[in-house]
Amino acid sequence: MDRLWEQVQGALMQSLGAQNFEIWIRPIRLSNLTPHAVHLQVPNRYYRDWVQANYGPTMTDAFGRALGRGVELHFEIASEQAPLLAEADRPPQGSGLASQVDEGEFLEVPPLPPVLDEGRPPTEEVARSHASSTIGVSPDKIFDNFVVGASNQFAHAAALAVADQPGESQYNPLYIYGGTGLGKTHLLHAIGNEVRRRDPSARILYVTAEQFTNELIDALRYRRMSNFREKYRRWPAVLLMDDVQFLTGKDRTQEELFHTFEWLKERGRQIVFTSDVLPREVHGFEPRLRTRCESGMLADMQPPDLETLVAILHQKAADLGLDVTPDVARFLAARVRGNVREIEGLIKRLSALCRLHQAQPTIAFARLHLGNVLADEPHSVDAQEVIKAVASLFNVRVEDLMGSRRQRQLVRPRHLSMWLVREHTDLSFPDIGRVFGKDHATIHHACKKVAGDLPNDADLRGAVAAIRRSLGLA
Ligand code: ADP
Ligand code: MG
């Protein structure tokens, strides 16, 4: 009987497509087989009506072909024995319906029966009826392979908090913003994967703002709005929307997104947005949505410092089975200022070249073969330039930063300049000590202090970003 069901499932997967299959067919159990009838167990009445109306003939056909004779389908409802779902909006726990949809692929949710028409409140049946799955979440972007450093620690912690308690109002929505290639998308997928790991039945939807926009346009054009809303409102327990800066100026999309957001939030569903800019800088961002984002949790991501880049480089090399010594890692990291995506490309190339030449990745080897893709020399600044930039931002005099007066408004920028000099020049702690007229332990202490404060201090991160920009480092 199992073999038969497998065979029929295979045929249905072919004819209905992966997404429809996962949602509607996967949860069905074959409970009995008689010479003239096939008994199938479905989660509830709504499910039965829908499957019967839409896939009944296809299923009858598939069984007929597998058995070599005509049969009738009988649907039995499993949920009639099961207790009713207490929280209609939570995905059913341990329902055995967990399943995975083609990763990265974005497919249509099947059209809805009238019961799901817009404006009607969700019923327990509806909540129950959907097989669990995730859509669009890449399984390889997880918290375990995300390297945490001062520049992304805050966003990482916020993402973890969301994965830990999706829907918690303090973090709803979570809005992650920062430059390109800094790991925003990675964190978004990591949230999805972590929520799923903890609750395999959770319905998680990853989508880019662009996809959302395109699907909305199609839905409007082909009058499939209830279908669209089913997908974005009723279905997901967690909605992960990437790159909302692409919503720019699209009124109808913004409005729909706002209502989608309100709908989800009212029901304790989690929403996470990413963007390359702050909500108020997303041009034409629906004002109410902007306010909601600002009163949720804003988490910025800064370009990683050299240490973090080196750690990321080691991680990526290890993923490829490439052994990179610390000095090679530092050599490479210093030549791809800031952008993690570039590092990834570089390390892939290096790995391929090493295999090709059957060589070890030494600095000389990297210089010889990657010369054309590496920045000539790391973009460097000298200590004086850094100190000047800090002085100008904090509106203090350079002499005061170099001096020893211990006023609060001087100590902070002074520590910051020491840390920045360490980050952006090749000077050692004793070298920096000489610049500031301090011993190396003082410099070391100051750098540690700044590195420790960065994750919890958005103002400080903002200052770092501003100084880096003014120095042409970011
Ligand atoms: P963004 O969405 O901010 O443009 P991505 O998340 O796409 O950036 O990151 C670019 C690449 O760099 C991805 O392959 C991602 O896995 C990797 N990456 C970024 N930050 C980290 C990190 N901290 N640790 C490990 N990999 C990272
Ligand atoms: Mg991205």
Side-chain angles (χ1 to χ4, degrees):
M1 205 160 85
D2 286 351
R3 275 286 309 130
L4 168 75
W5 183 218
E6 273 170 27
Q7 192 186 339
V8 171
Q9 280 184 315
L12 290 173
M13 165 99 92
Q14 287 290 317
S15 55
L16 305 180
Q19 172 89 350
N20 289 335
F21 179 84
E22 290 298 338
I23 292 182
W24 299 107
I25 308 298
R26 177 82 77 195
I28 300 177
R29 301 274 164 271
L30 176 58
S31 61
N32 199 11
L33 181 66
T34 65
H36 303 291
V38 174
H39 295 258
L40 298 165
Q41 213 174 56
V42 294
N44 56 41
R45 214 157 12 97
Y46 163 71
Y47 221 101
R48 177 199 59 198
D49 295 347
W50 167 247
V51 169
Q52 239 171 359
N54 292 278
Y55 302 137
T58 319
M59 292 179 77
T60 311
D61 254 24
F63 274 107
R65 237 171 291 134
L67 288 164
R69 61 172 191 268
V71 283
E72 222 173 282
L73 301 188
H74 288 280
F75 289 95
E76 295 154 6
I77 292 161
S79 63
E80 271 166 3
Q81 295 100 46
L84 280 178
L85 195 69
E87 301 165 87
D89 285 329
R90 295 270 314 153
Q93 303 263 338
S95 58
L97 303 181
S99 55
Q100 214 168 309
V101 172
D102 270 1
E103 298 294 347
E105 210 179 332
F106 206 69
L107 300 153
E108 278 291 329
V109 163
L112 295 169
V115 67
L116 285 180
D117 258 353
E118 300 165 33
R120 300 258 316 247
T123 61
E124 282 171 351
E125 280 180 342
V126 171
R128 229 177 200 316
S129 67
H130 289 285
S132 53
S133 56
T134 64
I135 301 178
V137 179
S138 310
D140 59 331
K141 295 200 162 50
I142 54 177
F143 283 116
D144 274 355
N145 60 16
F146 186 84
V147 176
V148 183
S151 57
N152 58 27
Q153 193 169 342
F154 183 79
H156 173 260
L160 265 183
V162 161
D164 190 35
Q165 283 199 303
E168 175 68 33
S169 61
Q170 197 195 344
Y171 289 89
N172 204 7
L174 168 63
Y175 184 103
I176 302 173
Y177 67 99
T180 151
L182 298 185
K184 300 183 297 296
T185 299
H186 190 129
L187 278 183
L188 214 50
H189 287 292
I191 293 171
N193 283 307
E194 183 62 18
V195 173
R196 176 169 57 185
R197 196 182 64 78
R198 292 171 186 221
D199 176 2
S201 64
R203 293 153 303 170
I204 305 159
L205 174 55
Y206 166 92
V207 68
T208 65
E210 211 177 350
Q211 279 173 311
F212 179 86
T213 306
N214 292 340
E215 288 184 32
L216 176 64
I217 292 168
D218 277 355
L220 289 168
R221 182 178 303 152
Y222 302 113
R223 299 182 196 286
R224 285 198 314 241
M225 277 311 287
S226 67
N227 194 13
F228 179 88
R229 288 185 179 148
E230 167 68 8
K231 177 172 182 175
Y232 286 102
R233 298 192 191 184
R234 295 197 204 281
W235 192 77
V238 178
L239 175 64
L240 307 166
M241 184 173 285
D242 213 354
D243 291 323
V244 293
Q245 74 272 10
F246 289 126
L247 292 172
T248 296
K250 300 187 176 92
D251 286 355
R252 186 68 181 82
T253 317
Q254 301 256 359
E255 196 188 320
E256 184 63 28
L257 181 59
F258 172 72
H259 291 296
T260 302
F261 170 82
E262 290 283 284
W263 206 96
L264 292 172
K265 176 146 166 119
E266 266 167 31
R267 286 156 185 81
R269 318 270 186 92
Q270 178 70 48
I271 305 104
V272 186
F273 294 117
T274 74
S275 170
D276 59 4
V277 289
L278 276 165
R280 70 178 135 83
E281 292 163 342
V282 176
H283 182 68
F285 205 25
E286 146 80 57
R288 291 167 297 178
L289 201 49
R290 192 186 83 200
T291 327
R292 303 292 191 280
C293 287
E294 285 167 350
S295 61
M297 178 61 63
L298 292 178
D300 63 325
M301 298 188 84
Q302 300 290 342
D305 50 57
L306 194 59
E307 293 314 317
T308 311
L309 269 183
V310 169
I312 294 173
L313 203 140
H314 275 301
Q315 156 95 46
K316 301 285 173 196
D319 288 350
L320 293 170
L322 184 70
D323 217 6
V324 172
T325 60
D327 55 331
V328 173
R330 228 181 143 81
F331 170 85
L332 294 173
R335 280 158 179 80
V336 282
R337 276 271 158 224
N339 191 325
V340 181
R341 196 172 285 132
E342 256 179 66
I343 277 239
E344 251 183 347
L346 196 66
I347 206 79
K348 276 189 190 145
R349 216 166 151 144
L350 185 63
S351 158
L353 284 163
C354 286
R355 252 180 289 125
L356 184 69
H357 293 274
Q358 298 193 326
Q360 287 302 309
T362 59
I363 290 184
F365 182 85
R367 221 191 270 284
L368 182 65
H369 293 282
L370 296 174
N372 52 341
V373 285
L374 288 177
D376 290 347
E377 278 305 319
H379 180 103
S380 67
V381 288
D382 66 28
Q384 292 304 327
E385 282 179 81
V386 173
I387 297 167
K388 235 195 269 170
V390 175
S392 133
L393 184 79
F394 285 88
N395 211 6
V396 297
R397 295 181 317 152
V398 170
E399 300 81 81
D400 285 336
L401 286 187
M402 317 273 282
S404 307
R405 284 164 57 206
R406 302 194 52 85
Q407 281 149 305
R408 220 182 117 62
Q409 68 265 38
L410 292 179
V411 172
R412 216 171 128 86
R414 185 180 295 141
H415 284 175
L416 183 57
S417 11
M418 292 169 179
W419 180 80
L420 281 164
V421 171
R422 171 72 183 154
E423 279 288 316
H424 293 291
T425 69
D426 288 333
L427 300 182
S428 64
F429 287 127
D431 293 336
I432 303 172
R434 277 187 282 282
V435 172
F436 284 90
K438 302 276 179 349
D439 61 19
H440 84 280
T442 307
I443 308 294
H444 189 238
H445 171 77
C447 291
K448 241 174 91 175
K449 172 98 178 67
V450 173
D453 287 348
L454 273 171
N456 309 312
D457 189 337
D459 289 344
L460 188 61
R461 290 195 299 276
V464 168
I467 293 162
R468 282 190 174 138
R469 271 196 304 275
S470 75
L471 290 167
L473 293 171

